[in-house]
Amino acid sequence: MTLLGICIGIMAIIALMGIGEGMQQAITGELSSLSDTIVLSTGDISANAFGGGGFEHANNNEYLTERDIADIQRINGIKDVSTVLFSPGIITFNGESNSVSLVGIDELNMEKIFGIGVLGLESGDFIEEGKQNTCVIGYNVAHEYFDVDIELGNRVNINGKNFAVVGIYKKQGSGMSTETDDNIHITPRDFEKITGLSESSSAIIRIYDVTYADVIADEIETVVNENHGDDDFANAITMTSLIESIQQIISIAQVVLLSIASIALVVASIGIMNTMLTSVMERTREIGIMKAIGATNKDVLFIFIMEGILISIIGGFVGIALGIIGSRGLSTVLTRSFGGELTPVISTSSILLGIAVAVIVGMLSSLYPARKAAKMSPIEAVRYE
Amino acid sequence: MKDDIIVTKDLCKTYVLGKITVPALKPTSISIKRGDYISIVGPSGSGKSTFMNLLGCLDTPTSGNLIIEGTDVSKLNENQLAKIRREKIGFIFQKYNLIPTLNAIDNVALSMSFVGINLKTRLKRAEELLGLVDLSKRISHKPSELSGGEQQRVAIARALSNKPSIILADEPTGNVDTKSGDKIMNILEDINSQGETIIIVTHDLDIAKRANRNLYIHDGEVVEAAY
């Protein structure tokens, strides 16, 4: 029971740190490759924290104009600007229907935004320029939405219109392109035909030098806001700031979870103290013998503190092992629940922290019982039955 | 001429029980020579154990002085008393008082660890001492695996571990059979013959008679006796 408390506390620390570090690395790694990208959106844009940086666009009826795009292109340091059309849609295949996200984007912009190589196609190709009524579908749309898998060349019905599937994306998992698994990409022209929408509320802007990302983002916001006479019309967000805000969210979450873990450690230290007090009482005679044969108060104090630390370290090592197993289990559960890939990162520093916490907890919780043992009168202790 | 190893000057111990003051040891002035073999006899509750505890620096006197090898220990603090206990005094208790979780060799080596002797030297000396009390083949046995006589011999080896100048034995044969008791007394006498001062508390007059000086305690008063 004494070991259990310390086990749980250390296990929680190791698991949470491992998962937190894994999340940070997954997000930072994914977004860092896109650090030269600025996402412009009318209304609010928010980061999808788990698995990193997918974008959630607030529904609004405010669109970017051709003037906005032209003004942005004139800003120094802009490589290119690509608008993206988003809309919900209904896909019907083999008599079954499902809702999907439609993305209107042409091949050129697609390459600009992600690079086809980044997303990767499981089979087929991207839509040829000018080719109508063709689509590229996400992995989940192809393999999980319907009883029968959609294959290359199959015809699907999107919002009442037939499309030929010319490409299927590889599974993207977590990250920037999470939603791609559930998206259907069509040309902007087809997008307009089936949704009636031709204006975009989002644009993805690439810049030449990432060191100016924040300055350029501010300039973009200013230009677009001025065009619409509204200070809050558009929001330009850099990947760097996105990484920072996500890391901040994860750090706060880690602090909260570690605080919860520390409660387990407080309970554990009370448990160790209780065990040590019982041990001191049971070993009163032993303490008396030690003092009779020459042990000083300091010797007795040291012996009992070392015992407390030993108990705690044993619990700590078991906790570290369980923490490593637990973080893997937790990441599997999170991956299954939210999709994507999350590999926990158990660093040497988190293991050392676990051991250090165990040593400190053991030492502090055995201090009082050890002092009690050290202060015993040898004559009374040796007489104790 | 042998020097005085222990000198008591009006050494006194009283216990206060509520409003009553109980004199456990009345003012006692004696001197014990180096190499003496002394027995202390007396009825239960006479003050034998109190006297022994004072001589062994386990307890502090209410008044008077106790001088061990020239040092007045009655004025020392706890840590200084612990130093005297581990360097100058070896204890042998009636109930052996071995640490139950340690085997024979570790029990003997334990007191040496408080002096700061390294592990290898501790174990080597502990093994030699166990050989001296004829327990070479039982060094890895725990107290529960040893007979009463064997446990007491381990306790003797432990008492000798830090080469003390005084051995205090409180009823060393009280919990063992006659044959084992005889063996224990022979060991103690061997040690005494090598110059060690032995003070033994006993109820057994036959044991007391083996000593070269006898003290008798009655109602906290120490007197010389002859058997």
Side-chain angles (χ1 to χ4, degrees), chain B residues 7-46:
Chain B
V7 176
T8 69
K9 289 177 186 168
D10 294 327
L11 190 69
C12 175
K13 181 76 184 179
T14 53
Y15 292 106
V16 179
L17 303 169
K19 289 177 181 173
I20 308 163
T21 304
V22 182
L25 184 73
K26 289 175 182 168
T28 303
S29 299
I30 59 160
S31 60
I32 295 169
K33 302 273 182 216
R34 190 179 296 278
D36 267 0
Y37 177 16
I38 295 176
S39 73
I40 301 172
V41 178
S44 296
S46 59

Side-chain angles (χ1 to χ4, degrees), chain A residues 31-40 71-82 112-113 203-221 236-241:
Chain A
L31 295 187
S32 294
S33 63
L34 298 164
S35 56
D36 61 347
T37 307
I38 295 169
V39 179
L40 177 69
D71 286 349
I72 293 167
Q73 274 166 335
R74 273 197 292 276
I75 294 170
N76 269 345
I78 300 282
K79 197 193 276 179
D80 54 61
V81 183
S82 315
K112 280 182 196 166
I113 295 168
I204 293 186
I205 300 137
R206 287 267 168 126
I207 55 170
Y208 287 109
D209 190 344
V210 292
T211 50
Y212 298 112
D214 288 333
V215 178
I216 295 171
D218 286 346
E219 211 171 327
I220 292 168
E221 260 185 37
I237 188 161
T238 62
M239 288 300 154
T240 320
S241 60

Side-chain angles (χ1 to χ4, degrees), chain A residues 285-299 303 374-379 382-383 385, chain B residues 15 50 53 58-59 78-79 82-83 85-86 91 93 95 97-101 107 110-111 114 158 162:
Chain A
R285 194 180 174 84
E286 205 176 300
I287 294 162
I289 297 165
M290 286 196 285
K291 293 190 104 176
I293 61 172
T296 57
N297 290 358
K298 222 158 90 178
D299 292 326
I303 288 167
K375 292 278 173 198
M376 274 182 188
S377 147
I379 186 74
V382 87
R383 276 186 196 146
E385 293 290 340
Chain B
Y15 292 106
T50 302
N53 290 334
L58 286 173
D59 207 352
E78 271 189 62
N79 281 338
K83 190 170 185 284
R85 283 198 296 270
R86 70 170 174 250
F91 278 98
F93 300 94
K95 291 180 180 170
N97 280 349
L98 299 175
I99 308 284
T101 49
N107 260 293
L110 180 66
S111 54
F114 303 133
R158 182 181 64 186
N162 284 333

